[in-house]
Amino acid sequence: MKSFTELIDKESEKALRELVKSQVQVLYSPSAHINFGSSLITVKNVSIQIGPKRFVIIENDWADTPKEWHDYYILKARISDRPKDIKVNESKNGKNWTYVMDHLSFHLGRLERVTRVVVIEDQYSGEHESVQYDAGLLIEFNNNKRLSIVQEQSITGFLEIAYISQEVQDSISGLKQRIIYSA
């Protein structure tokens, strides 16, 4: 049986370790889609602000196996000095900026300390091919809030953000915890 494995890389691990040491208030995305009757937010990528001009960028891509066409996903996290795919106007002194409109700003309310980041994986075996991949993240905060960022089951490679307790649980149902980063 041919196996296809796609786990986060070392640079992603480093970014997630940094996230778990941070306080978060806002997540940004260049666009968002929400279906009527659902609170799931579908995004191309998400930028989690962890400090002044400091962001953890979460991205995803899609692939499939050559013979049986099993879908699998490629999750990445990176540190950046600005949100991904969002235009900003920088001040003359370079110390701050303002965001240009037409993007998603998702506010958690007050500043929240991240206490745990869980990398969750999925796997599937067919007759001739199997896949194992990191499917998303579960982010836990000091006040028992939880947020999941999990791949959308689609060839778009988009991500779904869940923040209501039952939807977070539904989004990670059937997935396995692979790595846990704790503060």
Side-chain angles (χ1 to χ4, degrees):
M1 178 174 292
K2 176 90 171 141
S3 293
F4 295 83
T5 302
E6 194 62 54
L7 306 177
I8 61 171
D9 59 13
K10 296 292 182 198
E11 192 173 343
S12 294
E13 289 180 11
K14 182 179 175 186
L16 296 177
R17 278 191 205 94
E18 183 126 354
L19 176 59
V20 83
K21 296 184 213 170
S22 301
Q23 291 187 348
V24 174
Q25 187 172 31
V26 184
L27 287 72
Y28 297 98
S29 183
S31 61
H33 177 83
I34 301 172
N35 287 323
F36 182 79
S38 172
S39 63
L40 292 177
I41 303 168
T42 304
V43 296
K44 179 179 175 183
N45 59 60
V46 63
S47 301
I48 303 171
Q49 188 166 17
I50 60 171
K53 292 191 173 186
R54 198 134 172 89
F55 297 83
V56 174
I57 311 295
I58 310 295
E59 300 180 87
N60 194 42
D61 202 356
W62 166 86
D64 63 359
T65 62
K67 203 177 233 187
E68 295 178 317
W69 305 291
H70 302 303
D71 292 344
Y72 63 97
Y73 298 88
I74 303 124
L75 185 68
K76 290 183 181 171
R78 299 289 187 259
I79 299 292
S80 178
D81 67 344
R82 59 189 58 227
K84 183 169 177 66
D85 299 331
I86 298 173
K87 186 174 180 197
V88 297
N89 291 326
E90 199 154 347
S91 67
K92 289 181 182 177
N93 66 10
K95 291 185 179 180
N96 53 28
W97 61 57
T98 56
Y99 296 95
V100 176
M101 297 315 279
D102 294 336
H103 67 274
L104 168 73
S105 294
F106 181 79
H107 293 260
L108 297 175
R110 63 184 195 159
L111 201 59
E112 302 290 353
R113 177 155 307 281
V114 177
T115 57
R116 234 168 70 132
V117 176
V118 180
V119 178
I120 48 181
E121 72 170 8
D122 200 1
Q123 48 192 345
Y124 178 79
S125 291
E127 285 186 42
H128 305 285
E129 297 172 321
S130 67
V131 294
Q132 175 191 6
Y133 59 90
D134 286 333
L137 306 172
L138 174 64
I139 302 169
E140 298 177 355
F141 300 93
N142 63 330
N143 62 359
N144 297 321
K145 282 184 187 175
R146 296 184 329 152
L147 176 82
S148 65
I149 303 172
V150 178
Q151 95 286 336
E152 178 188 34
Q153 292 290 332
S154 157
I155 62 171
T156 62
F158 287 175
L159 296 161
E160 289 182 330
I161 300 171
Y163 56 93
I164 294 175
S165 184
Q166 185 58 54
E167 288 182 342
V168 169
Q169 195 58 43
D170 291 346
S171 73
I172 61 173
S173 178
L175 302 175
K176 185 176 117 182
Q177 293 183 2
R178 192 177 73 77
I179 302 174
I180 298 173
Y181 300 101
S182 296

